[in-house]
Amino acid sequence: MSARRTDDSGIVVIGLGRFGSRLAGSLAQLDHDVLAIDGSPERVQHWSSQLERVVQADSTEESVLRQVGVGDFQRVVVAIGASVEASVLTVLALTELGIPQIWARATSEKHAKILSSVGAHHVIFPEAETGERVAHLIVSKMLDFIEFGDDFAIAKVRVPQAMVGRPLRELAPADRYGVMVVGAKLPDQPFRYAGPGTVLRRDSVLIVEGSIAQVQRFASLG
């Protein structure tokens, strides 16, 4: 077996339905190496002309996933929606492979609980999430993310270590980091608007605004 990747650049997307294909395309547009897997030869043939690496495989079998190289990846998204059984068995196979980050699509709250119980680290509800938004969350350290037009975004991020214990007025975040801190949630307190005198503590969560690239860079400092 080859060594697990350490650069965290590659992402596997299993299931090329409407949500999975949009997600795979969004991740590719963000310049991430995507390995797309689906059990349908028709879907594989259709998307092979649009995605760089598309493989037909039975994702419920650990040995098959290992054979196609899934064990080399840090992050895998199970986007299967047509079969609850297949999605659960796929998550279980990924857990047995020891994948560090497993994202899985759920079609109901009950389905979500089952996915979490067998090893999914993050559960996605496509009815409330777009492929583009999930792509940004997967490839960054943002806790939440809303993209608007004209390359503007608002994100929820953990406070960077450099900002702990200091008031916002000393940090000039808009100049230094390129984002504006508009809200802060200190431990054991509700979210509040952030002012110049707000002193951030460890484990605080911030709401920041700026361009997509700026909020992603800022989130990576956390």
Side-chain angles (χ1 to χ4, degrees):
M1 184 178 68
S2 59
R4 187 181 295 281
R5 296 184 179 187
T6 57
D7 62 2
D8 206 28
S9 64
I11 302 168
V12 180
V13 176
I14 300 176
L16 289 174
R18 181 179 300 177
F19 176 75
S21 59
R22 288 282 298 273
L23 174 62
S26 295
L27 290 168
Q29 288 179 357
L30 292 170
D31 294 325
H32 285 267
D33 178 24
V34 178
L35 169 60
I37 299 174
D38 197 283
S40 165
E42 291 80 17
R43 282 183 177 173
V44 169
Q45 182 178 8
H46 175 77
W47 290 107
S48 61
S49 62
Q50 302 179 52
L51 297 171
E52 187 172 346
R53 302 170 64 195
V54 186
V55 176
Q56 181 188 350
D58 180 358
S59 62
T60 66
E61 295 290 338
E62 177 193 352
S63 60
V64 174
L65 294 178
R66 191 183 302 276
Q67 185 177 5
V68 299
V70 173
D72 297 339
F73 288 78
Q74 297 285 321
R75 294 169 291 188
V76 179
V77 183
V78 180
I80 299 171
S83 170
V84 170
E85 180 182 4
S87 71
V88 171
L89 291 176
T90 297
V91 169
L92 185 58
L94 294 169
T95 302
E96 293 171 348
L97 275 178
I99 303 299
Q101 291 188 45
I102 302 172
W103 296 66
R105 171 186 180 175
T107 55
S108 68
E109 290 292 343
K110 184 177 181 180
H111 187 194
K113 290 180 180 178
I114 297 173
L115 291 171
S116 296
S117 69
V118 298
H121 305 107
H122 309 274
V123 176
I124 308 162
F125 287 91
E127 293 75 15
E129 313 271 12
T130 66
E132 293 84 352
R133 179 173 179 271
V134 173
H136 282 291
L137 293 175
I138 290 172
V139 302
S140 74
K141 293 184 178 180
M142 291 184 286
L143 303 176
D144 205 349
F145 173 85
I146 301 174
E147 180 181 352
F148 299 90
D150 300 323
D151 190 31
F152 180 80
I154 295 176
K156 180 166 69 173
V157 302
R158 293 183 178 87
V159 62
Q161 181 60 37
M163 297 178 70
V164 173
R166 300 172 62 188
L168 287 177
R169 70 166 61 91
E170 294 183 8
L171 301 169
D175 296 329
R176 179 174 298 186
Y177 303 108
V179 300
M180 177 65 68
V181 179
V182 295
K185 183 185 185 304
L186 305 184
D188 303 320
Q189 296 183 22
F191 266 107
R192 294 190 174 93
Y193 287 110
T198 301
V199 178
L200 302 173
R201 292 155 50 192
R202 190 182 304 276
D203 298 325
S204 296
V205 175
L206 306 178
I207 300 296
V208 301
E209 63 182 21
S211 72
I212 295 173
Q214 288 169 338
V215 296
Q216 286 183 331
R217 263 196 312 270
F218 186 79
S220 69
L221 301 174

